[in-house]
């Protein structure tokens, strides 16, 4: 599952880059950026060892 979250985060970061290049609103850039950060944090937390 962690790999899927990292893959999603990569797509979202690419989306942020494209939004910046196209001159999108700061709200949309921020929203996609926050989603990318959440996906990255989820992937990191999911990959940490611990009780399952």
């Amino acid at each position: 599952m962690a790999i899927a979250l990292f893959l999603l985060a990569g797509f979202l970061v690419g989306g942020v880059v494209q939004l910046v290049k196209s001159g999108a609103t700061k709200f949309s850039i921020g929203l996609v950026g926050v989603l990318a950060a959440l996906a990255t944090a989820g992937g990191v937390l999911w990959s940490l060892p611990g009780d399952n």
Side-chain angles (χ1 to χ4, degrees), residues 14-35:
V16 169
V17 171
Q18 290 302 316
L19 285 170
V20 170
K21 285 183 179 179
S22 69
T25 63
K26 290 186 186 289
F27 176 76
S28 60
I29 295 169
L31 180 65
V32 177
V34 167
L35 291 174

Side-chain angles (χ1 to χ4, degrees), residues 1 5 7 9 12-13 22 30 34 42-43 45-46 48 51:
M1 185 68 175
L5 287 171
L7 189 64
L12 289 171
V13 169
S22 69
V34 167
L45 291 175
W46 199 288
L48 291 176
D51 296 335

